[in-house]
Amino acid sequence: MRKTVARIGLLTGAALLAGCTPAPVDGPPSAPPRPGAEPAAPTADACSPEGIRITGLGVSAAMGLRAMGLDLVNCGDRPYELRGYPAVALRDPDGDAITVRIIPGAAPITAGFDHPPTRIVLAPGERAGAALIWRNLVTDPTVVATAGTELDVAPSAGRPAYPVELDGPIDLGNTGRLGVSAWKRRDADPATQAPPRSDPPTPSTSPVNPL
């Protein structure tokens, strides 16, 4: 009888200890998505589901005027049609959208980037280019200067946008405007061309047209 009671006591104690053992922890829960946030976009180096890849070509700067080239390659297996201007959006370091006036062409900013848009059909492996143009000017001390640190580019309005890596902020000052040139067919792979100069500009220097 004593052996039976002792065995029951041991089993009861083991059951109580098992009930007090903490459940496995998989790690801290992931942060919920920001309200209104878009689904995760493809990485900058990936070929998108629609068969294109958009990358930045660096910034050419002179006397407050900036020009940044965009390169779009058809990395798919079928022809890809382009028409018009890239659709661009800027975000701050927190990922929040920055309000910017997007100007098709660059007539209010500078000259030389205003060729009209044309219909382009890129065969697999072919590419097109466009440019972003802006001025880093602060003309009103009461207006906070704007600098976008993240850039999203769509081939045109209404198409999916893709992140484009920047080598520095798009520093608009307080102008609040960004010029965008039309897509233009590229004849050569920009990777084989000399990169834009990053030396401090001289007073007689003008930004290099990345197209």
Side-chain angles (χ1 to χ4, degrees), residues 57 71 73 125 127 186-194:
L57 301 180
D71 181 65
V73 61
R127 59 208 323 129
R186 284 192 189 277
D187 296 326
D189 184 342
T192 65
Q193 301 173 357

Side-chain angles (χ1 to χ4, degrees), residues 2-27:
R2 290 179 180 177
K3 291 182 178 180
T4 301
V5 172
R7 183 177 301 169
I8 293 174
L10 288 173
L11 292 174
T12 302
L16 289 174
L17 287 174
C20 295
T21 303
V25 178
D26 295 332

Side-chain angles (χ1 to χ4, degrees), residues 20-156:
C20 295
T21 303
V25 178
D26 295 332
S30 58
R34 208 167 56 248
E38 296 293 332
T43 61
D45 294 331
C47 190
S48 73
E50 59 178 327
I52 61 170
R53 181 171 58 249
I54 303 175
T55 54
L57 301 180
V59 176
S60 173
M63 300 300 292
L65 182 61
R66 312 281 197 257
M68 173 183 170
L70 296 174
D71 181 65
L72 182 151
V73 61
N74 179 355
C75 52
D77 57 3
R78 63 188 64 187
Y80 187 84
E81 180 177 335
L82 278 174
R83 189 191 300 267
Y85 299 86
V88 302
L90 291 179
R91 290 177 283 123
D92 63 20
D94 294 326
D96 296 323
I98 295 175
T99 301
V100 179
R101 178 188 171 199
I102 304 298
I103 303 172
I109 302 173
T110 189
F113 295 86
D114 293 303
H115 62 274
T118 58
R119 177 177 177 268
I120 302 172
V121 178
L122 301 177
E126 291 185 334
R127 59 208 323 129
L132 307 181
I133 309 96
W134 70 95
R135 286 190 182 275
N136 178 20
L137 294 178
V138 178
T139 58
D140 185 349
T142 66
V143 178
V144 177
T146 300
T149 58
E150 298 181 34
L151 172 67
D152 295 322
V153 180
S156 61

